[in-house]
Amino acid sequence: MNSKTLRAKYLKFAILIISICFLVGAISACLPLNISVPTLEDNTISDTAMTITTNASDGLGEFNDGYSYVYTDKTKIDDYRAGTEDYDITTHKVAKTDSNRGTQDNPYVIATTDDWEVFVKKMATATSGTNIYGAGQYFVLGKDLDFDGVDFFPVINFNGTFYGMGHSLKNITCSSWKYWNASTNAYVDINTSNIAHGGFGVFGQILGATITDLIVQDYSFQDIPQNTTCLDAHGPFVGGIAGFSYGNNVVLNCHSSGEITSNKTYTSHPICGGIIGDHGLVNTDLLVYRCSSEFYSSLKASGHVCLCGGIVGDCHTSTTVHLYDCASNFRLDFAGTSYNHASVAIGWVRGKTSVIENVVGSIDITSNVRHFSGALAGTADPATIIKNVYVEGNIGTSGANKNSIQALTRTTAGITSSNVNVVKSSTSYAPLHSNSQDALGANVSTYSSADLMIASAKTFLGNNYSQIWDVDKIGGEYTPDKSPVRNYLMAFINFRNLNNGGNNEEKVGLDDGEPYVTGDKLPDEASDVTAFITYLNTKANANHVFKGWTDDPTGNSEPFTELPQGYFGDVTFYAVWGLSDSYVSSNIKISLTSDKTLIEYDSVESITLTAKVTHTAPSSGSMTNPSVTYNFIQDGEDKTTSANVKSSGVLSVKTVKDSGKYTFKYRLADGLEPLWYYDGTPSNSVDIKIEKGKW
């Protein structure tokens, strides 16, 4: 086959020769420039302020030295709630040495689902010694982890500190419960073993642990095994965060949404909670602060009862629970032959001096048995202290015949309560079990509808605890994104301007390290900081128009004016600048022309499009040595070219496949300040027609 025939056979596309002429003052050049300007989605930005690398010796991640992470701090809670402390969080700066791996200064970082499995195995092998089950060690969740389609394995025993840093474990589904057996180096079915005292959750059993700022979103825990050595015939213990709290444990600013369901009929007392299943070691305390859940459970038992709570399922005799500023919506389906203890906060409070303060929520129970349930607490024994609760509960065999339930049931004496509020929307309360009674009686304010009670809750909590409660979210769903008590943590921001080609940063008149939370407005022309306004005015006089902030020095992200999700600890934001309309109309000229608009499919002809961007430097306030990047656009779709500049200044692009409407977009960027730029397009386009079928 000769070369002419080859050319006729394989020339399937027209050749489009595009001449891009860029004029800056007296300089003309043709540039093969490429621009991509992605937009932010839902104001969600990844944590680009941090760098996580894998530590070769232990297989887990680690932060870059000097990075600051943030966590809810137990030592600040009391003063913050009292209004004498500005924040309930603390930032900690990483300071790595050769010998401090796993300490607070150099924590283990979990950033992938593979890292999670490394973490699971690490805890399973740490069965003795100083660091048993992670005791004295620090772990940080550095990224959101999505377990959709990924096998999930729980941490069976945990005795360390886990900082979630506001990140999520998403889409966990677990129906085949296994643990890592370090002796056999294999996952083994839990079945009826007592591996974690019957605890099931993200963490099976926590022993002297601290867990903060963790989100468990859209989980499904199914068919939980019943162990053969139940604790006083109680178990299994299942929680959205942890199943069994065994020891002095702290759970702060943790939030969950999901379900705990089982087709098994238990011959012990099943216990579940939206955050913690059960707290059960004598003379120990469980502290739960700023936690919430949106939670459904379906359970069955024969000859036994269920103990379930929207936050905590149960606390055993001679233990204490301190539960502050929590919210839950909890739906329970229970089929049994006995009765149930279920509630918004704690299914059964049978410890010593437990405290429940500032709780909002609802519980809806579908059951065929009478109850020991209360809207706030299923049952509370003496010495419980209750303050500022707003709850609604209903029970019955179906929606049509459900009745309201009291705030608290079954107690003898000793309850101290104030500002307890409950909805009574039915004529009478649902019948209690014969051994149960209304615990508070007249010491409760009742409302005929949830709307009335919610309005009261918003007023009280807004007036007294606005630093904790987002009152606009009270009364809706309490999923993690809609929780009224969730602390999105805080970013401590340094504001800068990039210059010298992006190699230098200059201050802009704002103090370093100012705190911001998600959704806060960032400084702009309305700022009351004089030095910053002076800086903006100086820039405006040099033809800079302030557009917002970015953490991306390349300029490939849209600027923002409010703090997006995902930023916390030390963060640097850079000013983004544009050009005024008057500057553009006076100093930038663009055009798009073509030498022809029609060729035949098998023709050797070409079409030349000439795109011209001319920038005329004004006498003052001009961009310095600006550059242009561009995308060609065919029928509204970007066509990125990667051809090289030719010495002749003519750029040949041979990838145009079809007829269409052609135009281009460009970015004109300053040579000294890379975040001072203008994005534009010509007002016209060129229709190209390539006639096919004539060969």
Side-chain angles (χ1 to χ4, degrees):
M1 185 178 293
N2 61 39
S3 61
K4 185 174 181 180
T5 306
L6 263 175
R7 181 171 59 186
K9 182 174 179 65
Y10 292 104
L11 188 54
K12 301 297 185 183
F13 306 110
I15 300 173
L16 177 65
I17 300 177
I18 303 173
S19 175
I20 302 302
C21 297
F22 169 50
L23 306 179
V24 183
I27 301 174
S28 295
C30 297
L31 303 175
L33 303 167
N34 183 4
I35 178 173
S36 177
V37 189
T39 57
L40 292 176
E41 202 169 297
D42 299 328
N43 273 344
T44 301
I45 297 180
S46 60
D47 303 332
T48 53
M50 73 171 78
T51 300
I52 301 173
T53 56
T54 301
N55 184 292
S57 63
D58 54 54
L60 288 172
E62 59 183 347
F63 290 131
N64 50 305
D65 205 31
Y67 174 74
S68 292
Y69 61 90
V70 64
Y71 61 93
T72 302
D73 189 343
K74 175 187 174 182
T75 66
K76 293 185 175 182
I77 291 173
D78 288 344
D79 289 339
Y80 182 68
R81 296 185 75 246
T84 57
E85 174 70 58
D86 290 335
Y87 311 113
D88 59 359
I89 64 172
T90 290
T91 57
H92 194 89
K93 183 168 288 189
V94 174
K96 296 191 286 190
T97 69
D98 293 337
S99 59
N100 69 349
R101 182 66 170 147
T103 66
Q104 193 170 27
D105 288 338
N106 184 16
Y108 299 107
V109 181
I110 298 162
T112 67
T113 55
D114 288 342
D115 287 349
W116 180 265
E117 192 166 0
V118 172
F119 174 42
V120 167
K121 293 177 180 179
K122 183 177 179 64
M123 294 301 94
T125 56
T127 57
S128 62
T130 304
N131 300 129
I132 181 171
Y133 302 134
Q137 295 180 324
Y138 290 78
F139 301 82
V140 177
L141 186 61
K143 299 285 183 181
D144 292 347
L145 305 186
D146 192 340
F147 287 88
D148 186 17
V150 178
D151 289 337
F152 174 81
F153 300 101
V155 176
I156 295 299
N157 294 290
F158 184 65
N159 195 20
T161 297
F162 189 96
Y163 296 142
M165 244 180 24
H167 288 299
S168 302
L169 305 179
K170 299 178 180 179
N171 300 314
I172 295 172
T173 297
C174 196
S175 58
S176 178
W177 294 87
K178 299 175 183 291
Y179 70 97
W180 180 255
N181 188 313
S183 299
T184 62
N185 285 327
Y187 286 105
V188 178
D189 288 332
I190 292 176
N191 290 327
T192 58
S193 68
N194 199 33
I195 187 68
H197 280 123
F200 297 86
V202 170
F203 299 91
Q205 178 177 231
I206 53 177
L207 311 94
T210 294
I211 302 173
T212 76
D213 315 304
L214 175 62
I215 311 301
V216 180
Q217 189 167 340
D218 298 333
Y219 69 87
S220 179
F221 296 158
Q222 305 167 7
D223 293 335
I224 301 93
Q226 177 182 321
N227 61 308
T228 56
T229 55
C230 293
L231 181 64
D232 298 330
H234 291 73
F237 312 113
V238 196
I241 303 294
F244 193 32
S245 167
Y246 196 71
N248 294 307
N249 292 296
V250 176
V251 182
L252 313 175
N253 191 34
C254 291
H255 310 275
S256 72
S257 61
E259 61 180 25
I260 296 171
T261 61
S262 181
N263 291 316
K264 300 177 183 293
T265 299
Y266 294 102
T267 56
S268 60
H269 306 306
I271 297 176
C272 66
I275 301 296
I276 301 293
D278 186 89
H279 177 58
L281 180 62
V282 172
N283 296 323
T284 59
D285 181 70
L286 171 64
L287 171 62
V288 181
Y289 167 67
R290 290 190 84 161
C291 292
S292 64
S293 75
E294 184 79 19
F295 169 41
Y296 168 73
S297 182
S298 176
L299 299 170
K300 295 182 288 186
S302 176
H304 291 76
V305 306
C306 73
L307 297 87
C308 299
I311 304 297
V312 179
D314 175 46
C315 65
H316 276 253
T317 305
S318 299
T319 64
T320 59
V321 173
H322 288 80
L323 191 150
Y324 302 114
D325 300 292
C326 292
S328 175
N329 289 326
F330 176 30
R331 291 187 301 115
L332 171 66
D333 288 348
F334 176 67
T337 56
S338 190
Y339 51 89
N340 54 68
H341 299 266
S343 73
V344 166
I346 306 175
W348 191 352
V349 187
R350 48 191 171 129
K352 296 188 290 186
T353 309
S354 290
V355 178
I356 303 173
E357 184 174 332
N358 294 1
V359 172
V360 173
S362 67
I363 181 169
D364 184 87
I365 305 169
T366 301
S367 181
N368 61 335
V369 296
R370 292 199 174 191
H371 70 101
F372 278 85
S373 296
L376 173 67
T379 299
D381 282 354
T384 304
I385 299 171
I386 299 170
K387 296 174 62 177
N388 312 327
V389 297
Y390 298 83
V391 289
E392 177 185 17
N394 295 283
I395 190 171
T397 56
S398 66
N401 64 2
K402 288 184 177 179
N403 290 321
S404 299
I405 57 178
Q406 294 93 337
L408 194 66
T409 64
R410 190 175 178 260
T411 187
T412 53
I415 292 287
T416 301
S417 67
S418 62
N419 192 27
V420 177
N421 303 268
V422 67
V423 174
K424 184 183 179 185
S425 57
S426 58
T427 304
S428 58
Y429 287 119
L432 289 164
H433 187 276
S434 58
N435 292 330
S436 186
Q437 58 184 304
D438 184 350
L440 298 179
N443 296 323
V444 173
S445 297
T446 60
Y447 298 80
S448 59
S449 73
D451 288 344
L452 293 173
M453 185 190 69
I454 291 302
S456 180
K458 289 181 176 181
T459 299
F460 177 83
L461 294 170
N463 288 340
N464 295 280
Y465 295 93
S466 60
Q467 73 274 32
I468 297 171
W469 288 82
D470 182 346
V471 296
D472 290 336
K473 294 181 178 179
I474 295 175
E477 292 182 2
Y478 296 146
T479 56
D481 289 338
K482 297 180 180 180
S483 169
V485 293
R486 179 177 173 181
N487 184 356
Y488 285 88
L489 304 180
M490 192 166 291
F492 298 90
I493 304 175
N494 302 324
F495 295 97
R496 296 289 188 269
N497 185 52
L498 285 176
N499 55 28
N500 192 25
N503 295 314
N504 293 340
E505 300 179 3
E506 65 181 14
K507 298 189 71 171
V508 298
L510 294 165
D511 290 340
D512 285 347
E514 287 295 301
Y516 292 82
V517 298
T518 298
D520 276 356
K521 182 180 179 182
L522 298 173
D524 60 13
E525 297 90 342
S527 171
D528 59 1
V529 179
T530 302
F532 178 56
I533 295 300
T534 300
Y535 184 88
L536 290 181
N537 289 337
T538 301
K539 286 293 187 182
N541 291 333
N543 291 313
H544 289 60
V545 174
F546 180 69
K547 296 174 66 178
W549 303 96
T550 183
D551 69 337
D552 178 7
T554 69
N556 286 333
S557 299
E558 286 289 328
F560 41 81
T561 57
E562 295 181 350
L563 182 65
Q565 293 183 18
Y567 287 99
F568 27 78
D570 292 340
V571 178
T572 298
F573 285 164
Y574 305 104
V576 180
W577 311 95
L579 292 170
S580 67
D581 291 341
S582 60
Y583 183 101
V584 172
S585 64
S586 298
N587 299 288
I588 300 176
K589 305 300 180 185
I590 58 176
S591 63
L592 177 66
T593 59
S594 65
D595 65 340
K596 62 178 70 71
T597 59
L598 173 66
I599 61 174
E600 293 183 3
Y601 192 68
D602 60 348
S603 172
V604 295
E605 289 186 286
S606 64
I607 295 176
T608 299
L609 290 181
T610 301
K612 181 185 291 186
V613 178
T614 305
H615 174 260
T616 304
S619 58
S620 62
S622 172
M623 285 185 166
T624 303
N625 296 324
S627 61
V628 168
T629 58
Y630 72 89
N631 279 115
F632 278 95
I633 302 171
Q634 176 193 348
D635 296 330
E637 180 181 354
D638 287 2
K639 300 293 182 182
T640 302
T641 178
S642 59
N644 295 319
V645 171
K646 306 235 178 116
S647 59
S648 65
V650 176
L651 174 63
S652 295
V653 182
K654 302 179 181 180
T655 57
V656 174
K657 299 178 180 180
D658 215 337
S659 304
K661 186 183 294 292
Y662 286 88
T663 185
F664 71 100
K665 65 182 180 182
Y666 70 92
R667 171 172 290 184
L668 182 71
D670 184 63
L672 293 181
E673 297 179 76
L675 295 180
W676 183 22
Y677 57 80
Y678 176 77
D679 295 327
T681 59
S683 59
N684 67 311
S685 59
V686 175
D687 289 319
I688 301 298
K689 187 174 182 181
I690 303 172
E691 292 188 337
K692 300 184 179 182
K694 293 190 175 183
W695 64 295

